[in-house]
């Protein structure tokens, strides 16, 4: 499945099964990152909730009660794909993963997404958590309008400042396309066994 959109016009340049629902894995974090960038100040402090260490898979190894600035957390989400960071964002913004997923779905619908249902902020597998290639392209197009988001996703390596776990501060992008193509501007990779390998990219040429 896939689609290529022209950013300026939204015209579909190529597509294959672009409206077929599928599991998005960590490309989900495009919406999580956009909401984080839109709903608060970059210097706002986010505190990791008490159940932080219960979040599975990809992690920035947040510790309960740890504090980190929103901008630094955005780097952890989009470069390292930190699932525990996504949970911290959800609780900070909306009080819970479930309440945050409601905000994600509302924002997706506002962009024009028609076939998206988010149930968590990170993309860990849930059979109800679905979107399409076309909807992901719409989300990425919207997110790249946000100056902070766009700056973060084109970054290959970032050392973040955190209050605890000071031995784990370097966030390295999993987007292997960035160092290979000077025109590449982002955006996000993803992988789970049910989803397979997922990728949303953005490039500027001519």
């Amino acid at each position: 499945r896939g689609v290529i959109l022209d950013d300026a016009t939204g015209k579909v340049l190529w597509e294959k099964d672009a409206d077929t629902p599928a599991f998005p894995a960590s490309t989900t974090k495009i919406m999580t990152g956009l909401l984080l960038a839109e709903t608060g100040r970059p210097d706002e402090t986010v505190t990791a909730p008490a159940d932080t260490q219960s979040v599975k898979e990809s992690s920035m190894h947040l510790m309960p009660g740890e504090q980190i600035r929103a901008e630094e957390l955005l780097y952890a989400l989009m470069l390292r794909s930190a699932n525990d960071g996504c949970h911290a964002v959800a609780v900070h913004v909306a009080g819970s993963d479930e309440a945050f997923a409601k905000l994600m779905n509302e924002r997706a619908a506002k962009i024009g997404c028609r076939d998206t249902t988010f149930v968590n902020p990170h993309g860990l597998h849930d059979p109800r958590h679905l979107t399409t290639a076309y909807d992901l392209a719409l989300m990425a197009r919207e997110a790249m309008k946000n100056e902070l988001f766009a700056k973060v996703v084109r970054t290959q390596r970032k050392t973040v400042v955190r209050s605890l776990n000071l031995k784990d501060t370097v966030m390295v992008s999993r987007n292997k396309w960035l160092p290979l193509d000077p025109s590449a501007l982002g955006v996000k990779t993803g992988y789970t066994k049910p989803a397979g390998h997922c990728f949303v990219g953005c490039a500027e040429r001519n």
Side-chain angles (χ1 to χ4, degrees):
R1 301 176 182 88
V3 67
I4 299 173
L5 295 186
D6 177 75
D7 179 55
T9 64
K11 181 181 179 181
V12 174
L13 305 178
W14 173 88
E15 67 92 16
K16 181 180 180 181
D17 299 330
D19 294 318
T20 302
F23 305 126
S26 284
T27 58
T28 296
K29 295 179 175 87
I30 294 169
M31 179 55 73
T32 302
L34 174 60
L35 285 175
L36 176 60
E38 287 182 335
T39 57
R41 305 182 314 275
D43 62 350
E44 192 171 298
T45 299
V46 177
T47 302
D51 63 347
T52 290
Q53 292 171 319
S54 68
V55 184
K56 300 176 182 178
E57 309 295 342
S58 179
S59 172
M60 62 183 291
H61 306 110
L62 279 172
M63 302 174 71
E66 180 171 358
Q67 295 186 321
I68 185 168
R69 291 171 59 245
E71 181 173 350
E72 309 276 292
L73 190 54
L74 185 58
Y75 279 101
L77 262 59
M78 305 312 295
L79 275 59
R80 189 183 286 187
S81 205
N83 293 333
D84 51 354
C86 290
H87 176 56
V89 168
V91 172
H92 177 76
V93 172
S96 69
D97 286 5
E98 294 76 17
F100 188 76
K102 184 178 179 182
L103 295 180
M104 296 169 74
N105 289 322
E106 290 172 355
R107 188 69 176 92
K110 197 172 181 180
I111 294 168
C113 300
R114 299 181 300 246
D115 300 295
T116 293
T117 303
F118 291 127
V119 298
N120 64 57
H122 37 60
L124 286 173
H125 182 64
D126 185 300
R128 302 165 297 162
H129 191 91
L130 295 163
T131 187
T132 65
Y134 181 73
D135 281 2
L136 276 174
L138 291 182
M139 291 179 227
R141 186 179 178 219
E142 182 75 6
M144 291 300 285
K145 296 175 185 176
N146 184 285
E147 190 174 319
L148 175 59
F149 182 96
K151 178 183 76 170
V152 168
V153 298
R154 67 173 177 262
T155 303
Q156 295 180 40
R157 184 183 181 95
K158 173 72 172 178
T159 300
V160 300
V161 178
R162 50 195 301 180
S163 67
L164 300 171
N165 201 1
L166 304 182
K167 294 181 180 179
D168 189 8
T169 59
V170 179
M171 305 294 148
V172 179
S173 177
R174 296 183 175 183
N175 185 351
K176 296 178 181 178
W177 184 39
L178 283 176
L180 298 177
D181 186 345
S183 72
L185 302 176
V187 176
K188 189 72 188 76
T189 62
Y191 175 79
T192 62
K193 284 186 178 180
H197 291 283
C198 308
F199 179 69
V200 179
C202 177
E204 184 173 24
R205 298 172 184 168
N206 302 315

